[in-house]
Amino acid sequence: NDGKFTTQEEINNWPINVDGQGNKTLLPGDLKYRDINGDFVINALDQRPIGYGLGTQPNINFGATFGVAYKSFDFNMDFSGGAGYTWFQNFETKWAFQNNGNLNTIFEDRWHRTDPYDVNSAWIPGYYPPNRFNQSGHSSNNRRSTFWGHNVKYLRARTIQLGYTIPPTVLARVKVQRARIYINAYNLFTFDNLRKYAVDPEIQDDNGLQYPQVVNINGGINLSF
């Protein structure tokens, strides 16, 4: 991707054939593409490798564990993260009303007319190209490009646990050798750059319909007699 068209005049004077139809289907807000081979036509000959990683496997994995104890309290945190792989928006995360579904709210930030019933009204700029009812068949914006690709980075709190060991002087009254009360949480929060797309950073499906990892919070008590 090499930016967006901002005016109809720019489209009319653009020397590169972007849509294969002399740019007749283009609108302000549609994507530009770089003419890599210099033949003034955008097609498969201009495609180059983009993104990182094979599939959804990060090239970089990392983690950290922290623990602290003070008197009868103990606290532990375990983090894991990944980077160096690319997620490409597709289907429901790429086109509004895909599969006759509801509007994905990310597409509210799109190029659109001031008056949707007046084709001569002014354009209001947005992040996404203007919506079309047959967006999936519109070749100009349909191509896989850096616009739709996101180099994922995330850090997830895998486990957080807080515990309290009851003092032996208290346990002696009830003939218990050791008692520890605890509360823990799994996948409590994540720092990532895909939050606005409402998808899990460890995503495998490009349509974003994968069920996210569940937050679990548990509590309990360990007793030794």
Side-chain angles (χ1 to χ4, degrees):
N1 171 248
D2 203 21
K4 301 184 186 75
F5 293 102
T6 58
T7 65
Q8 187 62 50
E9 182 180 6
E10 182 183 19
I11 295 172
N12 296 340
N13 296 323
W14 197 249
I16 301 170
N17 188 346
V18 176
D19 63 356
Q21 302 180 50
N23 299 335
K24 295 179 180 179
T25 68
L26 300 185
L27 295 172
D30 281 337
L31 304 181
K32 297 178 182 177
Y33 297 94
R34 191 169 300 174
D35 184 18
I36 300 294
N37 65 350
D39 64 356
F40 294 95
V41 177
I42 301 300
N43 53 32
L45 299 178
D46 298 299
Q47 295 178 356
R48 295 295 184 272
I50 56 176
Y52 299 96
L54 296 174
T56 57
Q57 297 301 316
N59 289 325
I60 301 173
N61 293 280
F62 49 87
T65 300
F66 303 93
V68 62
Y70 179 73
K71 294 185 177 181
S72 297
F73 290 93
D74 61 89
F75 180 72
N76 294 278
M77 300 182 69
D78 177 54
F79 291 90
S80 67
Y85 71 103
T86 303
W87 172 68
F88 287 93
Q89 292 175 251
N90 206 357
F91 302 109
E92 280 79 2
T93 61
K94 189 175 184 179
W95 305 308
F97 308 109
Q98 170 70 12
N99 285 331
N100 296 318
N102 293 329
L103 172 68
N104 190 326
T105 55
I106 61 176
F107 299 116
E108 292 178 353
D109 182 14
R110 72 189 190 283
W111 281 71
H112 60 281
R113 296 278 190 183
T114 304
D115 182 352
Y117 300 102
D118 183 1
V119 296
N120 296 313
S121 62
W123 284 96
I124 297 177
Y127 178 77
Y128 286 98
N131 181 57
R132 294 169 171 84
F133 289 107
N134 188 25
Q135 185 73 33
S136 61
H138 184 61
S139 61
S140 176
N141 296 325
N142 187 34
R143 298 183 177 96
R144 174 166 289 199
S145 69
T146 54
F147 179 82
W148 301 109
H150 307 278
N151 297 327
V152 182
K153 300 177 285 291
Y154 73 91
L155 178 67
R156 189 189 298 276
R158 292 291 181 189
T159 307
I160 299 176
Q161 182 167 258
L162 175 65
Y164 175 75
T165 301
I166 300 175
T169 54
V170 177
L171 297 178
R173 304 173 187 174
V174 292
K175 297 182 180 181
V176 175
Q177 293 183 355
R178 186 175 185 275
R180 178 177 176 271
I181 303 171
Y182 68 88
I183 183 171
N184 58 32
Y186 298 90
N187 303 319
L188 186 61
F189 59 86
T190 305
F191 301 105
D192 64 85
N193 61 337
L194 295 183
R195 186 172 300 275
K196 76 174 186 177
Y197 305 105
V199 298
D200 191 285
E202 295 180 83
I203 192 168
Q204 297 179 358
D205 298 327
D206 53 7
N207 60 12
L209 300 182
Q210 175 182 330
Y211 199 81
Q213 298 197 38
V214 178
V215 175
N216 291 306
I217 299 177
N218 306 294
I221 182 171
N222 299 124
L223 298 173
S224 297
F225 296 94

